[in-house]
């Protein structure tokens, strides 16, 4: 019995080998041919295949432009009268949905202040002294405080006083804490996605901007 099983396995292996090698093709038993003619027949759109040069792969992998760059811009604050006039002008000047007017509460601001100085020459001397101490200063937003310098703005008087103490330890002797502005409410104009085309039209708004300058959104 065992001899019969061994002979059967040998016979089956021999038949499989002959079939896989195509030796039985004349009798209609053989696997599908995988030579080039048959593979060409299975290709999809072979006419679209072409060889690339050494430079072309990097060019094809280059990122495509996603569109014109945009930036978020804002200006303000505007009072009720200014806002009403601005809204009417925006409605006929800029595309709908490209702008918004938002009611905003701007907190009070304290600064570490130096000044006022008698003239521009004295102001320039103080700037040079601060530069020698590696101290930076900020532009003033309150015209009543010019000719003067701000060493930094703070949302609370306590924070400004702490900063003044730190400046004193670095050699600043004539600075003091002043309130640059009180808490104020108003309307903020925002352009959330201003592209180049929209920015070229901003000059048309100048007559109703009340002297407010554009700045990046925060």
């Amino acid at each position: 019995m065992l001899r019969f099983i061994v002979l059967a396995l040998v016979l089956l292996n021999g038949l499989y080998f002959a079939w896989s090698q195509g030796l039985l093709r004349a009798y209609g038993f053989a696997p599908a041919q995988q030579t080039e003619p048959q593979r060409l027949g299975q290709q999809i759109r072979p006419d679209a295949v072409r060889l690339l040069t050494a430079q072309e792969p990097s060019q094809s992998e280059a990122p495509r432009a996603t569109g014109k760059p945009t930036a978020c811009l804002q200006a303000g604050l505007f009072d009720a009268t200014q806002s009403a006039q601005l809204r009417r002008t925006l409605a006929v000047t800029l595309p709908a949905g490209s702008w918004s007017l938002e009611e905003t509460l701007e907190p009070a601001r304290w600064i570490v202040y130096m000044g006022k100085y008698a003239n521009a020459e004295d102001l320039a001397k103080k700037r040079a002294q601060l530069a020698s101490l590696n101290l930076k200063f900020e532009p003033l937003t309150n015209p009543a405080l010019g000719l003067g310098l701000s060493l930094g703005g703070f949302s609370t008087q306590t924070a400004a006083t702490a900063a003044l103490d730190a400046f004193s330890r670095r050699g600043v002797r004539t600075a003091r804490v002043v309130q640059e502005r009180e808490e104020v409410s108003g309307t903020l104009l925002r352009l959330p996605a201003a592209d180049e085309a929209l920015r070229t039209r901003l000059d048309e708004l100048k007559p109703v901007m009340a002297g407010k300058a554009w700045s990046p959104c925060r």
Side-chain angles (χ1 to χ4, degrees):
M1 181 65 180
L2 180 59
R3 182 180 300 176
F4 175 76
I5 293 175
V6 172
L7 290 174
L9 290 175
V10 172
L11 179 61
L12 289 174
N13 286 329
L15 289 173
Y16 176 78
F17 177 79
W19 173 82
S20 63
Q21 296 300 313
L23 301 177
L24 303 178
R25 190 175 305 279
Y27 301 98
F29 299 100
Q33 287 185 329
Q34 296 297 322
T35 55
E36 285 303 316
Q38 287 74 18
R39 292 185 178 182
L40 287 175
Q42 297 173 3
Q43 289 184 355
I44 300 175
R45 295 185 62 201
D47 56 306
V49 178
R50 68 183 182 88
L51 296 177
L52 298 178
T53 65
Q55 292 77 21
E56 284 182 305
S58 60
Q59 295 174 355
S60 63
E61 294 170 4
R64 297 181 179 179
T66 57
K68 296 181 179 179
T70 62
C72 182
L73 300 176
Q74 66 180 34
L77 296 175
F78 300 94
D79 61 28
T81 302
Q82 294 167 344
S83 298
Q85 186 177 9
L86 186 59
R87 187 183 299 275
R88 290 192 295 269
T89 303
L90 287 166
V92 297
T93 304
L94 300 186
S98 66
W99 56 272
S100 65
L101 289 172
E102 306 171 3
E103 294 297 323
T104 304
L105 180 65
E106 195 167 85
R109 176 181 165 93
W110 281 265
I111 61 173
V112 178
Y113 177 71
M114 301 185 73
K116 292 184 173 183
Y117 298 102
N119 50 56
E121 183 179 356
D122 289 345
L123 178 62
K125 288 180 180 178
K126 181 56 63 176
R127 287 174 180 264
Q129 292 176 7
L130 293 174
S132 68
L133 296 173
N134 293 321
L135 293 175
K136 297 180 180 181
F137 42 86
E138 300 177 351
L140 295 166
T141 61
N142 186 344
L145 297 176
L147 302 161
L149 295 170
S150 168
L151 299 183
F154 306 88
S155 59
T156 66
Q157 187 175 7
T158 301
T161 301
L164 176 61
D165 292 340
F167 287 130
S168 298
R169 292 192 293 271
R170 296 181 62 180
V172 177
R173 297 288 179 262
T174 59
R176 65 186 190 276
V177 172
V178 301
Q179 187 173 8
E180 187 181 33
R181 67 164 185 258
E182 298 181 351
E183 183 180 82
V184 59
S185 61
T187 303
L188 183 69
L189 170 58
R190 188 184 295 269
L191 307 179
D195 58 15
E196 183 179 355
L198 189 62
R199 290 194 291 268
T200 59
R201 302 184 62 180
L202 298 184
D203 285 345
E204 302 175 42
L205 300 176
K206 281 186 177 180
V208 293
M209 290 292 290
K212 307 293 186 181
W214 293 99
S215 63
C217 298
R218 59 178 187 270

